[in-house]
DNA sequence: GCTGATTTTGGTAGCGCTACCATTCGAATT
DNA sequence: AATTCGAATGGTAGCGCTACCAAAATCAGC
């Protein structure tokens, strides 16, 4: 029977390389994946044939034959939020020295969307999965538990990892920022929050804990909205908060975008920062230290989280079962001018 | 011969579905990909079997058998730059109703890295490729020309598309912004630029054209650096520019990050904006309209570029050869307070 | 009712690679 | 010298799916 014309458009296959190098196909496969299992001389012959033909292995065929794709599935709630962009950058950078690909999914902060994407990702049998947060739905959790590959939950840490975790405590972050504001003398400290995803909720809880401990908590100080965060929204939230409680003397913002909106509004309304109003943000974007006045914020290890998540997953793939399944990378309070209140 | 134990971990295959539905495997395949070619009754039986088993097709097997992966390869120079994050979001959103996956690559503004990633992407036989800019290396261009799939160059337009293009003129954007500043009375307008990738270069060219036409060009007005852009860098560049040319009365910034750095530095140094210094940025990030004073900028259609690129590629995949191979989505000058100079 | 055209369905043979097992061969052991 | 062993290499049989072709079923026209 006449062989069918090559479907693949004439790209060289492993068989072509094998023929040119005068070895069996399987030996080429091994030379490429486990060079130490092939003798020096053959390895060189094969390497030369690969280069001569410009052979690049087909990842699809590889995945099909080995029942495992060299893919890291990554689920984040947003692609444009700078925080997750940094995490994703850390992931990509940490994988650039390997042949792993990244399969990125945007859950839009939706648990259902996360389930759906998980299902899609799983159909590829990924080498590892990285998911954001620790509040997966029960269905998603079950899918992850039976995924048969390393799973890393990122951004937060918690008591019951599906497999591994890398993050920090948003609760402590919020509490630390607010404690600092209380210490330097602010009393009527408002909380401004947008989106209010689980991590925002925990920052709010940290705020509340700090305020209650100091006997300063008042529910009217809290202003939140489910609307996605933006600088514009920061301004609007601040206006609302001030209308509700004109005696406000500080704000802890859910994130830096909101803090920036507050800062701009203070400029516009000629409200002195830090004298009349103190401002603290969360994440410590580059611009916070350049702003005028510079803005106090909680520095979070975004890039490092992506990097570490990949490192842990790769260790597991390589058979070294990491001892620490849950890694807390911490955060750092950056005290700046926006809360530099002259003690009175 | 005894069949080998299932490698794939027992997930249902198309054969399982076919058996349950009492049809041939190929019919299941068709029912899933081209439902109109299968009779109504069988389609329902098959659909039911699929749901009962929780069958999800294996994309790797699909890609191998059809010599074409349902993947859009996307190459961008940066993942954290908000501009590209928006483009990528547009791409993801436009593909979310399909079974296409996205394969994202970060070129780090390097032509060589772009070539390398292209090689990797091509090994998967993607359904389409989206690449940033129009300044590919000769090697990359050749790879793209022979890719055998739709190719869309984004962000810019130019005279010689590899296949299709979606973008706008950075030259005209720069010229428009600077013309506006000249019109309202600024004379010693500096150019502040970071990174200086090809698009930045063209904005600079637009700046220069506007300045020369008005007889205002002076090379000492131009301050650039190859360093990546940031708000901090904007401040530094502005300080340099001012040191070099204290009589500066305006700046056109390569992008909004830099403009924001300038704005903050003006606050800090008590330089009146727009009276003493006028500021214009590029891209029109959300925060520019909230800043105090609000900052004039060139609004660029980032999300729309991603959306349109996907639409054009999909049209081509579906066999409808789009008439317009090069689409200019334009830009819009947003006049704001930072250049609202009182006419004198 | 018959013929030819047009669906609709199924069988077979791969896609390019690797798991599994078999074979070869030289070195070490007895 | 015979036996054992491990390392190096190769052959075979799929992985799960679809392209291609063939067969069966349906339809239209006379």
């Amino acid at each position: 029977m006449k062989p069918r014309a090559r479907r693949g458009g004439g790209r060289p296959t492993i068989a072509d390389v094998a023929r040119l190098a005068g070895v069996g196909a399987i030996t080429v496969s091994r030379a490429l994946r486990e060079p130490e299992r092939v003798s020096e001389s053959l390895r060189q012959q094969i390497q030369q044939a690969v280069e001569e033909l410009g052979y690049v292995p087909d990842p699809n065929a590889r995945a099909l034959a080995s029942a495992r794709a060299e893919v890291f599935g990554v689920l984040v709630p947003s692609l444009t939020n700078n925080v997750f962009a940094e995490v994703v950058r850390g992931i990509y950078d940490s994988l650039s020295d390997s042949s792993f690909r990244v399969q990125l999914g945007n859950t839009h902060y939706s648990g259902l969307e996360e389930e759906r994407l998980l299902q899609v990702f799983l159909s590829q049998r990924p080498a590892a999965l990285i998911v954001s947060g620790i509040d997966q739905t029960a269905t998603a959790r079950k899918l992850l538990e039976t995924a048969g590959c390393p799973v890393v939950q990122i951004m937060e840490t918690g008591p019951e990892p599906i497999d591994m975790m890398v993050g920090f405590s948003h609760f402590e972050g919020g509490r630390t920022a607010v404690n600092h504001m209380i210490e330097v003398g602010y009393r009527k400290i408002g909380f401004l929050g947008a989106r209010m995803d689980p991590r925002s909720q925990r920052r709010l809880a940290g705020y509340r804990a700090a305020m209650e401990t100091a006997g300063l908590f008042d529910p009217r100080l809290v202003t939140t909205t489910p609307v996605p965060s933006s600088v514009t929204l920061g301004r609007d939230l601040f206006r609302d908060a001030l209308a509700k409680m004109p005696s406000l003397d500080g704000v802890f913002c859910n994130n830096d975008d909101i803090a920036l909106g507050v800062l701009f509004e203070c400029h516009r309304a000629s409200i002195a920062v830090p004298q009349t109003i103190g401002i603290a943000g969360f994440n410590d974007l580059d611009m916070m230290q350049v702003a005028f006045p510079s803005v106090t914020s909680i520095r979070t290890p975004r890039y490092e989280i992506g990097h570490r998540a990949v490192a842990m997953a790769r260790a597991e793939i390589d058979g070294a079962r990491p001892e620490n399944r849950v890694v807390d990378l911490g955060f750092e309070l950056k005290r700046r001018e926006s809360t530099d209140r002259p003690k009175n």
Side-chain angles (χ1 to χ4, degrees), chain A residues 68 122 125-129 143-151:
Chain A
R68 184 59 67 203
L122 252 15
R125 309 160 203 276
L129 285 168
L143 285 173
L144 287 166
E145 276 162 357
T146 58
C149 68
V151 174

Side-chain angles (χ1 to χ4, degrees), chain A residues 22-267:
Chain A
V23 299
I26 190 68
T27 306
V28 176
S29 174
R30 264 197 290 262
L32 261 28
R33 290 178 305 133
E34 318 168 89
E36 72 284 357
R37 306 227 307 113
V38 173
S39 69
E40 176 63 22
S41 60
L42 275 195
R43 205 185 313 157
Q44 287 193 343
Q45 275 178 56
I46 291 170
Q47 189 52 41
Q48 202 183 320
V50 164
E51 274 160 28
E52 193 175 325
L53 294 173
Y55 169 71
V56 183
D58 181 332
N60 298 118
R62 219 171 226 194
L64 183 58
S66 64
R68 184 59 67 203
E70 290 198 290
V71 167
F72 269 55
V74 177
L75 286 174
V76 292
S78 162
L79 294 173
T80 40
N81 181 331
N82 180 277
V83 170
F84 287 102
E86 288 275 335
V87 171
V88 168
R89 189 169 65 89
I91 292 172
Y92 270 85
D93 284 359
S94 305
L95 287 174
S96 63
D97 69 330
S98 74
S99 55
F100 288 108
R101 288 166 290 158
V102 175
Q103 183 69 38
L104 197 57
N106 183 356
T107 66
H108 295 98
Y109 292 92
S110 150
L112 280 180
E113 185 65 7
E114 184 168 55
E115 285 176 19
R116 196 186 65 79
L117 286 167
L118 224 37
Q119 195 75 52
V120 172
F121 282 18
L122 252 15
S123 72
Q124 294 186 70
R125 309 160 203 276
L129 285 168
I130 297 177
V131 300
S132 300
I134 61 178
D135 303 279
Q136 283 73 30
T137 64
T139 310
R141 217 185 148 87
K142 192 157 298 168
L143 285 173
L144 287 166
E145 276 162 357
T146 58
C149 68
V151 174
V152 189
Q153 291 164 288
I154 59 169
M155 300 318 284
E156 298 184 72
T157 57
E160 291 180 323
I162 295 173
D163 183 11
M164 294 178 281
M165 282 179 166
V166 192
F168 62 92
S169 168
H170 292 252
F171 176 88
E172 288 301 336
R175 185 153 75 170
T176 300
V178 176
N179 270 150
H180 157 68
M181 294 185 79
I182 294 172
E183 250 166 49
V184 298
Y186 294 102
R187 288 295 168 265
K188 300 247 186 168
I189 305 167
F191 177 94
L192 302 185
R195 178 79 74 177
M196 297 317 288
D197 59 275
R199 287 166 293 287
S200 301
Q201 299 281 6
R202 284 188 260 274
R203 289 175 213 158
L204 171 54
Y207 158 87
R208 182 165 179 160
M211 293 294 276
E212 282 179 342
T213 302
L216 296 172
F217 183 71
D218 180 337
R220 287 170 306 162
L221 287 166
V222 176
T223 310
T224 65
T225 164
V227 170
S229 176
S230 71
V231 180
T232 310
L233 191 68
R235 176 196 62 190
D236 298 344
L237 284 173
F238 181 59
R239 285 180 182 165
D240 291 353
L242 216 48
K244 206 162 53 178
M245 170 91 56
S247 57
L248 210 63
D249 69 356
V251 284
F252 167 56
C253 304
N254 193 41
N255 65 43
D256 286 347
D257 287 343
I258 293 183
L260 204 58
V262 174
L263 180 63
F264 284 133
E265 179 62 14
C266 286
H267 277 307

